Amino acid sequence: MSKKGKDGGVLSVVKDTLALVLITLAAAVLLGFVREVTAEPIAKREEQDKQNAYLAVFETASSVTESKDVPELAAALALSAQVLTEEYNKAVTVDEVCLAKDEAGNTVGYIITVTDKKGYGGAVQMVFGYSLDGVVTGIEFLVLNETAGFGLEAEKNPEWRKQFIGVAADSFTVTKTGAGADGEIDALSGATRTSNAVTQGINGGLLFAKYLAEQGIGGAK
C-alpha cells in the first residue's frame, strides 16, 4: 500500500473518531440540558403529589407541618428504626412523619409515610393519618407496583382501605375467612401477600405514632 493510501486511511479513522466524540459530547450536553429543564417541574409535581396525599389521609386537619420544620420530630424520625420492634423493623421503614394540626394550631394527630419491603411486586410505600384518639384516618399509596386486578386493588378499591379507617386497634391482622372483629382485615382476593405488606406497614407506622403521642412529641397532649 502506498504512503498516501496509508495516510488516507489514518485520516479517515481520525475523522470518524472525532465525529463520534463530537456526537457523544453533543448528546451528553443535550441530555444534561433536558435533565436541568425537567428536574424542577418533576420535583414540584412530586412535592404536590405528596402534599395531596397528606391532605387526603387527614381531611379534618387544617394544616400539615413536616418533620424538617420540627426538630424534636426530626430527631424522633431518625430513631424510628429503634422504636419499631423486631417484628417490623426488618421489613418496615418510617420514611417521614408530619404533624396534623387544627385551626388553632394544636396537634390533632400524625401523618406518617412508611415502606414495607415485602409486597408481591416489590416495596409498597404508603402514607396514613393517625389521630390522637387512636384511629387511622385515611390511607394513600405513593408506590404500589402490584398486579392489576389483584394486589393493585389495594389502591383501586377504596372499600378495602376503609377496613383500617376509624378503628381503635393496637394493630391489624389479615384474615382469609372474613373479618369478624375490630382490627381484622379481609385479604384482597388473590393478593394475600399485598394485603400482608400493607397491613404490616400500617402496623409498624402505628407503633411509631403511638410512641410519638406517648412522648408528647410535636405538642401532642
Side-chain angles (χ1 to χ4, degrees):
M1 181 181 290
S2 67
K3 182 177 179 182
K4 183 177 180 180
K6 291 181 180 180
D7 291 345
V10 170
L11 287 174
S12 178
V13 171
V14 171
K15 287 180 180 179
D16 290 345
T17 302
L18 181 60
L20 182 60
V21 169
L22 290 174
I23 291 171
T24 303
L25 287 174
V29 170
L30 180 60
L31 180 59
F33 175 74
V34 170
R35 284 179 177 174
E36 184 175 346
V37 170
T38 59
E40 185 175 352
I42 290 173
K44 286 183 177 179
R45 186 177 69 247
E46 290 176 346
E47 179 63 24
Q48 188 59 55
D49 289 345
K50 185 174 67 174
Q51 293 298 324
N52 290 342
Y54 290 164
L55 294 174
V57 301
F58 213 123
E59 294 181 352
T60 60
S62 296
S63 63
V64 175
T65 305
E66 295 184 339
S67 63
K68 61 183 176 63
D69 299 316
V70 185
E72 62 175 345
L73 200 60
L77 180 60
L79 296 173
S80 60
Q82 299 176 32
V83 174
L84 300 184
T85 61
E86 186 176 355
E87 180 181 1
Y88 301 114
N89 63 18
K90 292 181 179 178
V92 179
T93 58
V94 180
D95 307 317
E96 176 61 292
V97 57
C98 305
L99 302 179
K101 297 192 173 185
D102 61 17
E103 293 181 354
N106 298 314
T107 297
V108 293
Y110 302 100
I111 296 172
I112 298 177
T113 303
V114 294
T115 296
D116 186 281
K117 304 171 186 174
K118 296 185 177 181
Y120 183 80
V124 176
Q125 186 180 49
M126 68 207 96
V127 55
F128 72 95
Y130 174 81
S131 68
L132 294 186
D133 58 1
V135 302
V136 174
T137 60
I139 302 171
E140 293 289 329
F141 292 98
L142 301 179
V143 177
L144 186 68
N145 299 314
E146 304 300 87
T147 307
F150 296 94
L152 201 58
E153 288 300 299
E155 180 178 32
K156 300 295 184 182
N157 184 354
E159 292 301 314
W160 186 78
R161 296 198 302 278
K162 284 183 179 179
Q163 296 180 91
F164 294 91
I165 297 173
V167 178
D170 290 333
S171 62
F172 295 93
T173 56
V174 176
T175 177
K176 297 180 182 180
T177 57
D182 286 349
E184 289 188 342
I185 303 297
D186 267 326
L188 288 162
S189 179
T192 302
R193 186 166 174 178
T194 303
S195 303
N196 283 328
V198 173
T199 301
Q200 182 171 250
I202 295 296
N203 284 343
L206 283 176
L207 190 61
F208 183 62
K210 290 170 184 175
Y211 164 78
L212 296 176
E214 290 169 357
Q215 299 298 315
I217 294 175
K221 298 179 180 179

